[in-house]
DNA sequence: GCGGATCAC
DNA sequence: TATGGTGATCCGC
């Protein structure tokens, strides 16, 4: 009894402040040691004190809950149990295993982008952010306990070698756009929507973790075949092809961006999200669509892994000795007496492995806000003028989206980290700076007055608008996809009056990219009779990269491709690994020597040979002529892009805090992209030092000499040329004709300046 | 409708 | 020296 309060307090504190190792790449760390450092760094700070306070509040909630629990009678429990069972049956009946949901997640996105663009970062623990706050960290840093949402100065204590790179949001946005273009190829919105109800949707978030979610109906299967819900007959075929589609998609992402993505495939969104974490980084996991598999998967899954269960909910559940999802099921009766109806509903669904099987159509924005953190601000005049500034910025943002709202909220955080919000709702919707400020100013004044004679000591101020009135004036100018999503928001899955929708295509399903690519390779495989190469590395379950067919017959080619996943765990040099000893490998397709130690490079070489061969074949078949100009254009675009990104990096930063910590000397400056400068007036560039010198390489697609001796770079060039062609071709068949896919990103980068 | 809190990214 | 910004949702008034 005596030590009980102390213990709960300590644990409580830890649960709030301690390392959250829920993230991928953080397994098996020395938590005690890390937590000690975190505590030592935090203790005594205002932040710490506030966390402590909040934690005590949570503890009180738990106490209250435990008290409630103690007062529950057997009769109540029994009744609840009956209810739960009824509910379970109903939910079970609603289980839908017929959908396939793919959740794709970029691996350590921001960090990966920075590593891609700065060779020296690749081998270092690094994070994106500032001394005050980190957005994300790479996997090397995670081994030290360094993770997102951790202040940089603490991270530095955990790992003194940590390199902190300031964020380049414009760059990340540009990369997001590139990736989105790939998703667009799989986005069945661009497919004619069949009358089948199982439509597919791609949803893309541009956040730290780019997390698109893809609904897919069985690709490639004849329309009729699909109707057999849950029937396992076609399911295997189905599963295989979906996995390949996802591999293909991830492969394309890596080709295009040199970044890796992970994916989860499952019958619903909740599970897919968990699955995407399972083989992170650079992996994917498919949960078979059977009740058994799902329940098995759920069994030992910690509740904290479920989206929506955060540290507070976790702690409350833990107090009831619920740590795993299976416990949720076992304790549902109790939970139904302690938690709200919505919470219970959610718990129950989780315990049954159920989740959303459809994505709510693009929902209307419900609020828009802006907030800023700063050093202590106590002067009322300054506070008012800051408030005005915020209102001005918010009004601008509102204008961009043509929004008007009735509710204005003011958010204040004082230097003790205590947060307060004050709101007022008007009769009419407003949007202009003056209108917003008129309200916000009053709210602020009230708070200042309440505090007098003491000043408000603020560290954050924010203004939010909500209660928007619906405005229909923007609909006509919507782009295709948005227009579609909008029209679908009624809940019905019909397409109403979508202008770019072409009903003539409704009956002929488009082949997805992966299908085409696979067909190409298959065709090629037959025609080239690729000779065997000695297998390298073990065949992991993640293998079979995009080509089960090749695997079946030759085996050898895919074996090499598979080696992507045969890399040692922990380190994933999947794009441009540089090892010590160069090696001569013989390409089974073109029989030429490839000098490299990096199997990925070799893989790409083979891939490109295969692609080239099939491209040539197709050319002669369909007399389609590849547009050389386009390829040249692309090279130029890439040059520009590189130049811009260099300029971006070299531009002087205002404050000392924002100066780049990346230890680049400037002389090597992102070798990968620089080599694309061949066509322009730039001088030849440095290559990766581990590569041997090779003679000039000529791109077999655009026939331009590439002044590089780095095969990875050369291959990437060729891939891009090829990709562009495929995409070009794809576009010809689809209704989305808005933007060229490959080159576009370059201009987005330019915008940052 | 308001305000505090939780959660995700 | 130093612990973010944006949007959503829920719960209890």
């Amino acid at each position: 009894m005596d030590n009980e309060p102390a213990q709960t307090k300590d644990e409580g504190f830890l649960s709030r402040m301690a390392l959250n190792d829920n993230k991928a790449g953080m397994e098996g760390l020395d938590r005690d040691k890390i937590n000690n450092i975190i505590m030592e760094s935090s203790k005594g700070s205002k932040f710490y004190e506030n966390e402590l306070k909040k934690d005590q509040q949570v503890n009180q909630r738990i106490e209250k809950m435990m008290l409630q629990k103690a007062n529950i009678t057997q009769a109540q429990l029994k009744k609840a149990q009956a209810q739960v069972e009824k509910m379970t049956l109903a939910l079970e009946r609603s289980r839908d295993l017929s959908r396939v949901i793919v959740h794709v997640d970029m691996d350590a996105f921001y960090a990966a982008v920075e590593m891609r663009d700065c060779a020296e970062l690749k081998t270092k623990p690094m994070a994106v952010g500032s001394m005050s706050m980190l957005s994300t960290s790479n996997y090397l840093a995670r081994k030290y306990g360094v993770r997102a949402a951790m202040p940089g100065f603490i991270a530095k204590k955990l790992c003194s070698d940590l390199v902190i790179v300031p964020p380049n949001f414009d760059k990340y946005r540009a990369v997001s756009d590139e990736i989105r273009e790939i998703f667009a190829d799989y986005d069945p919105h661009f497919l004619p929507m069949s009358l089948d109800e199982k439509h597919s949707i791609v949803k893309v978030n541009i956040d730290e973790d780019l997390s698109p979610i893809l609904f897919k109906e069985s690709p490639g299967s004849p329309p009729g075949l699909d109707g057999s819900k849950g029937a396992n007959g076609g399911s295997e075929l189905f599963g295989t092809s979906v996995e390949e589609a996802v591999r293909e998609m991830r492969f394309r992402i890596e080709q295009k961006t040199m970044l890796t993505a992970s994916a989860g495939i499952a019958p619903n969104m909740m599970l897919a999200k968990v699955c995407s974490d399972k083989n992170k980084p650079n992996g994917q996991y498919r949960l078979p669509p059977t009740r058994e598999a799902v329940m098995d998967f759920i069994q030992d899954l910690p509740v904290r892994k479920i989206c929506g269960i955060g540290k507070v909910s976790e702690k409350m559940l833990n107090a009831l000795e619920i740590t795993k999802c299976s416990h949720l099921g076992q304790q549902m009766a109790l939970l139904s007496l302690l938690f709200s109806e919505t919470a219970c509903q959610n718990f129950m669904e989780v315990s049954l492995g159920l989740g959303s099987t459809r994505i709510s159509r693009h929902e209307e924005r419900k609020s828009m806000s802006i907030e800023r953190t700063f050093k202590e601000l106590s002067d009322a005049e300054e506070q008012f003028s800051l408030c005005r500034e915020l209102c001005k910025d918010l009004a601008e943002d509102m204008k961009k989206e043509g929004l008007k709202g009735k509710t204005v909220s003011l958010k204040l955080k004082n230097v003790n980290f205590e947060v307060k919000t004050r709101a007022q709702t008007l009769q009419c919707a407003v949007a202009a700076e003056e209108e917003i400020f008129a309200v916000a100013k009053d709210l602020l004044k009230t708070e200042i007055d309440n505090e007098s004679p003491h000043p408000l000591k603020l560290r954050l101020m924010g203004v939010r608008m909500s209660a928007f009135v619906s405005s229909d004036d923007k609909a006509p100018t919507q782009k295709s996809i948005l227009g579609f999503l909008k029209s679908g928001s009624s809940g019905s899955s019909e397409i109403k009056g979508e202008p770019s929708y072409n009903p003539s295509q409704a009956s002929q399903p488009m082949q997805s990219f992966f299908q085409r690519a696979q067909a190409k390779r298959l065709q090629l495989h037959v025609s080239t009779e690729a000779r065997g190469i000695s297998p390298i590395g073990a065949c992991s379950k993640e293998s079979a990269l995009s080509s089960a067919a090749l695997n079946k017959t030759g085996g050898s080619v895919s074996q090499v491709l598979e080696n992507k996943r045969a890399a040692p765990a922990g380190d994933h040099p999947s794009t441009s690994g540089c090892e010590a000893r160069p090696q001569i490998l013989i390409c089974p397709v073109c029989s030429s020597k490839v000098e490299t130690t990096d199997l990925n490079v070799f893989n790409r070489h083979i891939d490109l040979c295969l692609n080239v061969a099939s491209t040539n074949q197709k050319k002669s078949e369909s007399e389609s002529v590849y547009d050389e100009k386009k390829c040249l254009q692309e090279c130029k675009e890439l040059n520009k892009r590189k130049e811009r990104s260099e300029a971006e990096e070299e531009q002087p930063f205002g404050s000392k805090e924002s100066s780049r910590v990346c230890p680049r000397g400037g002389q090597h400056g992102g070798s990968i992209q620089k080599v694309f400068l061949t066509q322009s007036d730039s001088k030849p560039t440095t290559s990766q030092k581990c590569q041997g010198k090779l003679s000039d390489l000529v791109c077999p697609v655009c026939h331009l000499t590439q002044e590089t001796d780095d095969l990875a770079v050369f291959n990437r060039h060729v891939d891009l040329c090829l990709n562009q062609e495929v995409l070009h071709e794809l576009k010809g068949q689809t209704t989305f004709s808005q933007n060229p896919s490959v080159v576009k990103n370059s201009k987005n980068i330019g915008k940052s300046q």
Side-chain angles (χ1 to χ4, degrees):
Chain A
M1 269 297 176
D2 265 353
N3 59 0
E4 226 254 300
Q7 197 191 12
T8 33
K9 190 180 169 187
D10 198 39
E11 271 180 10
F13 172 68
L14 278 173
S15 75
R16 213 176 170 84
M17 296 284 298
L19 173 75
N20 174 357
D21 59 1
N22 191 30
K23 227 175 167 66
M26 306 201 70
E27 302 81 9
L29 301 181
D30 186 347
R31 292 194 57 167
D32 286 347
K33 191 180 156 200
I34 291 167
N35 284 330
N36 270 336
I37 296 176
I38 294 176
M39 295 310 165
E40 280 312 307
S41 316
S42 303
K43 210 163 268 183
S45 67
K46 297 277 169 86
F47 178 81
Y48 173 95
E49 295 301 328
N50 190 251
E51 288 299 293
L52 210 56
K53 201 179 90 188
K54 285 198 278 185
D55 193 66
Q56 280 160 6
Q57 285 173 22
V58 172
N59 284 340
Q60 280 177 13
R61 273 176 73 181
I62 291 177
E63 269 177 49
K64 201 173 136 194
M65 179 182 73
M66 298 307 273
L67 218 65
Q68 255 183 290
K69 184 194 169 195
N71 287 330
I72 292 173
T73 65
Q74 279 301 316
Q76 284 174 311
L77 208 57
K78 205 167 173 184
K79 194 177 160 195
Q81 184 62 37
Q83 289 260 320
V84 164
E85 278 166 21
K86 225 169 80 182
M87 187 89 170
T88 304
L89 278 179
L91 281 173
E92 194 61 61
R93 273 198 300 275
S94 76
R95 187 189 293 272
D96 179 2
L97 294 165
S98 69
R99 288 181 180 255
V100 175
I101 300 192
V102 180
H103 184 258
V104 182
D105 210 11
M106 295 303 293
D107 302 324
F109 186 39
Y110 294 177
V113 172
E114 299 301 334
M115 286 164 77
R116 177 193 70 175
D117 295 346
C118 177
E120 305 219 343
L121 289 176
K122 285 177 186 167
T123 55
K124 291 187 161 61
M126 60 84 66
V128 174
S130 70
M131 235 18 189
S132 303
M133 185 53 60
L134 302 181
S135 297
T136 192
S137 58
N138 70 2
Y139 281 80
L140 226 52
R142 289 182 195 185
K143 289 199 190 313
Y144 295 85
V146 173
R147 58 157 298 157
M150 177 181 277
F153 73 92
I154 292 182
K156 275 281 196 183
K157 290 185 181 168
L158 290 172
C159 170
S160 55
D161 291 337
L162 183 74
V163 179
I164 298 179
V165 180
N168 297 292
F169 291 111
D170 289 329
K171 190 154 76 172
Y172 311 143
R173 201 164 300 123
V175 179
S176 287
D177 288 344
E178 284 187 278
I179 296 164
R180 279 214 263 199
E181 285 169 4
I182 292 174
F183 292 138
D185 290 337
Y186 295 81
D187 181 356
H189 275 134
F190 298 119
L191 267 176
M193 296 286 265
S194 70
L195 301 174
D196 187 340
E197 193 219 27
K198 297 182 193 179
H199 296 310
S200 314
I201 300 168
V202 170
K203 179 183 173 188
V204 179
N205 303 325
I206 314 183
D207 284 319
E208 203 285 310
D209 282 332
L210 185 80
S211 312
I213 299 168
L214 169 73
F215 277 65
K216 208 98 174 70
E217 52 193 318
S218 51
S221 62
L225 212 94
D226 209 23
S228 54
K229 278 195 189 174
N232 256 351
S235 180
E236 264 326 295
L237 251 177
F238 177 47
T240 307
S241 59
V242 167
E243 282 179 272
E244 284 173 20
V246 173
R247 273 194 199 95
E248 180 75 45
M249 183 158 67
R250 289 175 40 234
F251 180 67
R252 287 181 66 202
I253 291 172
E254 190 177 347
Q255 291 278 299
K256 190 168 185 176
T257 66
M258 312 197 21
L259 302 169
T260 63
S262 298
I265 308 164
N268 65 54
M269 203 121 66
M270 185 271 290
L271 294 168
K273 217 158 175 312
V274 179
C275 287
S276 68
D277 212 47
K278 186 119 178 151
N279 282 328
K280 218 167 209 314
N282 199 14
Q284 64 186 61
Y285 181 85
R286 171 173 168 263
L287 180 58
T290 65
R291 188 179 182 279
E292 298 69 37
V294 168
M295 295 309 282
D296 219 52
F297 183 78
I298 283 294
Q299 191 71 12
D300 289 328
L301 192 66
V303 290
R304 186 67 172 84
K305 290 278 183 191
I306 277 43
C307 183
I309 298 184
K311 53 181 160 193
V312 173
S313 304
E314 179 192 30
K315 190 173 176 182
M316 296 191 66
L317 290 171
N318 285 353
L320 299 168
E321 294 179 320
I322 293 169
T323 56
K324 301 190 291 189
C325 291
S326 53
H327 298 154
L328 285 174
Q330 293 156 11
Q331 300 288 336
M332 262 332 290
L334 175 63
L335 291 172
S336 74
L337 296 169
L338 297 177
F339 286 81
S340 73
E341 204 178 318
T342 32
C344 285
Q345 173 84 21
N346 190 37
F347 289 152
M348 196 172 296
E349 288 183 7
V350 168
S351 74
L352 292 169
L354 301 173
S356 172
T357 51
R358 59 187 60 245
I359 290 169
S360 49
R361 305 277 168 135
H362 183 69
E363 296 193 357
E364 297 277 311
R365 169 197 280 287
K366 298 198 169 98
S367 73
M368 181 179 273
S369 68
I370 184 163
E371 65 189 58
R372 246 172 247 162
T373 293
F374 34 78
K375 278 198 180 147
E376 177 175 334
L377 188 65
S378 307
D379 180 73
E381 284 309 308
E382 290 180 50
Q383 289 169 350
F384 280 118
S385 81
L386 173 64
C387 182
R388 176 179 280 283
E389 242 180 79
L390 291 170
C391 292
K392 179 168 175 262
D393 292 350
L394 181 58
E396 269 176 32
D397 291 346
M398 296 271 292
K399 195 176 171 188
K400 276 179 207 155
E401 294 195 25
L403 291 169
K404 285 187 168 199
K406 290 199 290 184
T407 304
V408 180
S409 307
L410 179 73
K411 177 174 171 180
L412 303 173
K413 190 193 280 181
N414 67 18
V415 291
N416 294 321
F417 290 86
E418 293 162 334
V419 178
K420 217 182 250 188
T421 62
R422 294 292 177 263
Q424 189 181 334
T425 300
L426 306 168
Q427 292 292 329
C428 312
V430 296
E433 173 194 343
E434 287 307 325
E435 296 169 311
I436 300 172
F437 181 61
V439 180
K441 172 192 75 188
D442 280 353
L443 294 170
L444 177 58
K445 183 166 188 307
T446 305
E447 291 310 304
I448 291 175
D449 290 349
N450 279 347
E451 200 72 6
S452 72
H454 303 298
L456 272 185
K457 294 180 170 182
L458 300 179
R459 82 181 321 273
L460 173 146
M461 190 187 294
V463 182
R464 171 178 301 261
M465 289 295 302
S466 53
F468 297 137
V469 294
S470 56
S471 57
D472 299 322
D473 46 348
K474 48 186 173 150
T477 55
Q478 290 284 341
K479 285 199 290 186
S480 165
I481 178 77
L482 293 180
F484 172 77
L485 292 169
K486 238 178 122 48
S487 69
S489 64
S490 63
S492 119
S493 53
E494 281 174 44
I495 304 169
K496 302 174 225 162
E498 170 51 31
S500 70
Y501 171 67
N502 180 358
S504 71
Q505 303 206 355
S507 52
Q508 38 164 311
M510 187 193 81
Q511 268 191 313
S512 71
F513 178 92
F514 86 92
Q515 287 174 299
R516 302 168 59 78
Q518 172 151 339
K520 223 187 223 183
R521 289 194 181 129
L522 193 57
Q523 191 180 30
L524 191 83
H525 178 72
V526 174
S527 63
T528 56
E529 295 174 359
R531 289 196 316 270
I533 335 165
S534 54
I536 309 165
C539 189
S540 78
K541 71 168 185 253
E542 267 309 319
S543 55
L545 179 68
S546 75
S547 186
L550 282 179
N551 218 354
K552 191 173 60 189
T553 41
S556 49
V557 174
S558 60
Q559 191 92 15
V560 177
L561 295 168
E562 286 156 18
N563 206 262
K564 253 184 189 335
R565 288 291 301 171
D571 202 357
H572 295 261
S574 57
T575 37
S576 66
C578 291
E579 303 292 326
R581 314 160 257 108
Q583 226 180 323
I584 308 284
L585 300 167
I586 310 291
C587 171
V589 181
C590 70
S591 301
S592 69
K593 292 179 194 167
V594 177
E595 184 182 349
T596 178
T597 56
D598 187 350
L599 287 172
N600 293 308
V601 170
F602 188 47
N603 283 346
R604 277 206 202 108
H605 171 96
I606 296 171
D607 201 45
L608 100 84
C609 278
L610 291 170
N611 273 329
V612 167
S614 80
T615 300
N616 290 337
Q617 188 178 345
K618 188 159 46 69
K619 256 193 228 168
S620 55
E621 279 168 6
S622 65
E623 91 267 327
S624 79
V625 181
Y626 185 74
D627 188 350
E628 283 192 28
K629 269 192 206 159
K630 238 180 178 175
C631 192
L632 178 62
Q633 170 73 20
E634 185 192 332
C635 294
K636 284 185 177 165
E637 283 292 336
L638 282 161
N639 289 343
K640 282 189 218 156
R641 171 178 163 185
K642 178 56 201 159
E643 281 162 5
R644 282 200 205 96
S645 70
E646 270 178 358
E648 200 179 342
E649 281 167 13
E650 281 160 18
Q651 81 190 352
F653 288 88
S655 69
K656 70 171 189 292
E657 207 205 2
S658 60
S659 70
R660 216 177 157 87
V661 197
C662 168
R664 62 157 77 240
Q667 80 286 9
H668 63 289
S671 56
I672 305 275
Q673 291 174 7
K674 204 161 183 175
V675 292
F676 287 106
L677 294 171
T678 47
Q679 295 309 314
S680 70
D681 46 358
S682 71
K683 53 186 184 246
T685 62
T686 55
S687 67
Q688 287 174 274
K689 50 184 174 282
C690 54
Q691 302 289 345
K693 282 271 171 195
L694 295 170
S695 53
D696 282 350
L697 296 166
V698 179
C699 173
V701 182
C702 68
H703 307 298
L704 296 173
T705 304
Q706 304 300 304
E707 285 181 39
T708 176
D709 45 18
D710 183 341
L711 278 173
V713 170
F714 176 68
N715 282 341
R716 178 161 158 73
H717 164 89
V718 180
D719 274 330
L720 283 166
C721 280
L722 285 166
N723 270 346
Q724 185 173 359
E725 187 210 27
V726 173
L727 291 174
H728 182 72
E729 195 186 315
L730 249 168
K731 268 193 332 194
Q733 292 201 5
T734 56
T735 56
F736 65 105
S737 54
Q738 285 146 9
N739 296 310
S741 277
V742 174
V743 184
K744 198 183 103 181
N745 61 305
S746 51
K747 74 166 179 282
N748 294 330
I749 295 211
K751 265 205 314 209
S752 67
Q753 309 223 348

